[in-house]
């Protein structure tokens, strides 16, 4: 029978394993000899291929001597973890399910060796070595002493993502870097800028703290009031000191990256000192821990926010769990001691021979006939499978990897000379399922990993396109506005001799209509694939067009005020400053100022197309970067200045006689214009990628339509619908004839 061992681990063991193998290589190039037998709690099933698993079956353990002596001390574990045992049973269930599947690994039977790590690296290390060695007295090792690749369902430490140190480590759970960012987003969402951080004294806690501090400082979301390392095991003095720090601190938010056992210990002290009013934020290790969801702790932990592992469903698991039963014939051995421990914990009994004084104290003996369905236990509650689902996926990952290896055709394999792997070369064959290599290479910036993770494919390039519905709507609206401007211009040219056209400064009206037409057309530069010339031209055309438009409105307003002043005795001299030449000159000068701003902006820090990969992992957002935020701000600020000035002058002239009532229209049009662009700034800043361009196009079109409708709508209505009002007497307010 061929036995091949894989490791499925839930604590950060790969570092220790790498250290072990590198340490023994110089001394034992070909074999290792066991110094002693370790009697660990476990479950076993024989098979052609043995999958090994390490699970937290107990919350606590004593500290045995971890040195390799001729008589190593046995670890003492206590505080049975039912959910940890359910994870182990989930692995057994997945293996049984695979063995029944004739389409997956036909003619190969999977077995398992599952051990309790007691949430201690030292004990887990012993269990890992037991899996590697198979408990044989002497073990042959390859010359490189490289172990088989672990697959983890619960090891989240971001340190394990280092492909240089751990080239063959894979997992079915995201690294801590993701939940660190999620916690920071929670802090930002609620405005919590002052928080404390508690961590476990291992790679899980220390790396999470390092990542958290780095990301927190970069995000500017807040600061840490304190950082405390929780002790392993019971250390009353240290726990008292940590809780004292929490009590004295002004920070009411406490973030904890630690294991269930740490939280049990620290919460005992929190309850003892009656520290209430804290907002806890939990890492995935203890978010859903039922052992903490008790009436005694809920007054202190109620309202805790946490990061949970993705939930999944495993059909048939509950029926399998109901079949769990102790092995009465081997209850004194360690072959299936996990089941016996679970049985004793669930039914509060002991197998024979019981501990000394157990029966005298009123304890009962286990018969093995107890009924699981008649006892209340979370062991059978499969409504919230989170780590268990990761275990399930990890087992199937290995099974499919083996299956792919066995399906390999000679001469078409991934190894040297296109050879295939075999069960005898399992240390290499396992890599078939993963990224055909022990190394993981990153795709270029413009590429994304394929669904099979075996080659790089080009990323989708996203921009505001003429082909998508949003781009089509904006393009159609822009062309519609241009067409309406042309129609209005034609109406004014055709009726240029009528009183209403002549009374409203026809030359400036024609210039205003032409500038509005340019405003509508410049929005088209924001649609389509960004190019250097379109990036440079879009904002320049936008800025100059709108300044030309607002300048015409400003001069029209000034002319209204000047004419009214000239109508009063002694005011005739004011008209000489607002003749046709002066009006054209003023518009030209004001527009040239904007042209100068645009030229300086393009020369000093030109807008340019940019491939942004920050918004999405699998897409490239093709956008125009403004080059100089100062240049863009000055351009917008100058338009705003002219618009505000026009609004103020028109507002002052709003109560002039009816013959000068265009001031009211200008006031209303400038109010709409300013409202649109004030709303534009926050919307533009908060919109990602192509939607920023869409927001700017919308602002251009909305403000252009606002000016067109308010300034020319009433006049076109009179010209076309109410021609009886298009007389000198009606305009002067003396009737309609």
């Amino acid at each position: 029978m061929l036995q091949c061992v894989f490791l499925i681990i839930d604590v950060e063991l790969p570092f220790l394993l790498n250290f072990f193998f590198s340490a023994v290589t110089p001394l034992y190039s070909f074999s290792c000899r066991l110094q002693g037998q370790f009697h660990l709690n476990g479950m076993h099933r024989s098979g052609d291929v043995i999958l090994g698993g390490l699970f937290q079956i107990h919350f606590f353990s004593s500290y045995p001597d971890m040195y390799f002596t001729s008589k190593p001390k046995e670890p003492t574990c206590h505080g049975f973890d039912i959910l940890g045992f359910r994870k182990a049973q989930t692995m057994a269930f997945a293996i049984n399910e695979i063995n029944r599947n004739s389409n997956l690994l036909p003619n190969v039977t999977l077995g398992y060796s599952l051990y309790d790590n007691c949430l201690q690296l030292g004990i887990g290390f012993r269990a890992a070595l037991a899996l590697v060695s198979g408990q044989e007295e002497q073990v042959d090792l390859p010359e490189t002493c490289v172990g088989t690749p672990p697959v983890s369902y619960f090891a989240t430490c971001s340190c394990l993502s280092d492909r240089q140190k751990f080239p063959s480590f894979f997992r079915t759970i995201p690294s801590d870097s993701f939940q660190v960012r999620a916690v920071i987003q929670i802090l930002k969402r609620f405005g919590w800028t002052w928080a404390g951080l508690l961590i476990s004294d291992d790679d899980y806690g220390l790396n999470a703290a390092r990542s958290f501090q780095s990301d927190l400082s970069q995000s500017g979301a807040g600061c840490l009031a304190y950082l405390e390392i929780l002790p392993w095991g019971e250390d009353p003095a240290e726990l008292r000191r940590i809780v004292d720090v929490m009590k004295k601190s002004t920070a009411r938010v406490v973030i904890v990256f630690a294991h269930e056992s740490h939280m049990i210990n620290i919460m005992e002290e929190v309850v003892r000192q009656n520290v209430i009013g804290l907002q806890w934020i939990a890492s995935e290790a203890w978010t859903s821990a039922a052992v903490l969801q008790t009436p005694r702790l809920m007054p202190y932990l109620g309202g805790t926010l946490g990061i949970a592992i993705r939930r999944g469903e495993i059909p048939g698991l509950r029926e399998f769990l109901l079949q769990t039963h102790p092995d009465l014939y081997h209850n004194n051995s360690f072959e299936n001691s996990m089941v016996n421990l679970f049985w004793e914990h669930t039914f509060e009994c002991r197998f024979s021979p019981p501990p000394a004084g157990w029966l005298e104290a009123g304890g009962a003996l286990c018969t093995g006939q107890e009924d699981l369905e008649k006892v209340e236990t979370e062991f059978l509650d499969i409504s919230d499978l989170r780590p268990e689902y990761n275990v399930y996926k990890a087992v199937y990952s290995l099974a499919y990897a083996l299956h792919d290896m066995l399906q390999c055709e000679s001469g078409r394999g991934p190894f040297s000379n296109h050879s295939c792997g075999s069960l005898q070369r399992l240390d290499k064959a396992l890599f078939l399922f993963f990224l055909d290599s022990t190394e993981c290479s990153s795709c270029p910036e413009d590429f994304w990993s394929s669904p099979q993770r075996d080659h790089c494919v080009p990323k989708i390039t996203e921009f505001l396109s003429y082909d998508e519905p949003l781009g089509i709507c904006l393009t159609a609206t822009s062309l519609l506005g241009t067409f309406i401007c042309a129609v209005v211009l034609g109406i004014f040219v055709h009726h240029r001799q009528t009183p209403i056209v002549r009374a409203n400064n026809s030359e400036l009206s024609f210039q205003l209509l032409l500038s509005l037409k340019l405003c509508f057309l410049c929005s088209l530069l924001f649609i389509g694939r960004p190019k250097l010339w379109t990036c440079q031209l879009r904002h320049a055309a936008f800025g100059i067009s709108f300044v030309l438009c607002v300048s015409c409105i400003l001069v029209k307003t000034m002319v209204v005020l000047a004419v009214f002043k000239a109508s009063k005795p002694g005011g005739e001299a004011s008209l000489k400053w607002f003749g046709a030449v002066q009006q054209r000159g003023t518009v030209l000068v004001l527009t040239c100022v904007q042209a100068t701003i645009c030229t300086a902006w393009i020369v000093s820090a030109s807008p340019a197309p940019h491939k942004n990969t920050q918004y999405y992992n699998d897409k490239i957002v093709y956008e125009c970067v403004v080059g100089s935020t100062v240049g863009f701000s000055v351009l917008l600020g100058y338009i705003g200045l002219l618009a505000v000035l026009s609004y103020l002058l028109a507002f002052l002239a709003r109560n002039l006689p009816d013959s000068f009532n265009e001031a009211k229209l200008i006031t209303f049009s400038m109010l709409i214009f300013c409202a649109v662009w004030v709303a534009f700034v926050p919307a533009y800043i908060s919109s990602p990628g192509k939607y920023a361009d869409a927001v700017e196009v919308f602002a251009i079109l909305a403000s252009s339509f606002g000016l067109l409708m308010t300034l020319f709508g009433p006049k076109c209505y009179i010209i076309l619908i109410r021609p009886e009002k298009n007389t000198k007497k009606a305009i002067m307010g003396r009737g309609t004839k």
Side-chain angles (χ1 to χ4, degrees), residues 409-424:
E409 297 180 10
S410 181
R412 302 179 66 181
F415 303 115
S416 58
N417 299 322
H418 300 287
S419 62
C420 293
S422 66
L423 290 179
Q424 289 76 18

Side-chain angles (χ1 to χ4, degrees), residues 113-181:
S113 286
L114 312 179
Y115 288 114
D116 177 12
N117 63 37
C118 293
L119 201 62
Q120 289 291 344
L121 289 178
I123 298 173
F125 194 19
R126 286 187 172 186
L129 294 181
L131 290 172
V132 172
S133 67
Q135 295 284 32
E136 298 176 6
E137 183 178 355
Q138 184 165 334
V139 185
D140 291 332
L141 297 174
E143 292 184 5
T144 57
C145 252
V146 175
T148 53
V151 178
S152 175
Y153 70 93
F154 216 37
T156 60
C157 181
S158 55
C159 60
L160 297 173
S161 300
D162 189 338
R163 286 298 175 199
Q164 299 299 319
K165 294 181 179 178
F166 312 107
S168 56
F169 176 78
F170 307 94
R171 53 184 160 198
T172 57
I173 187 171
S175 76
D176 285 330
S177 60
F178 293 95
Q179 67 169 327
V180 164
R181 290 198 292 269

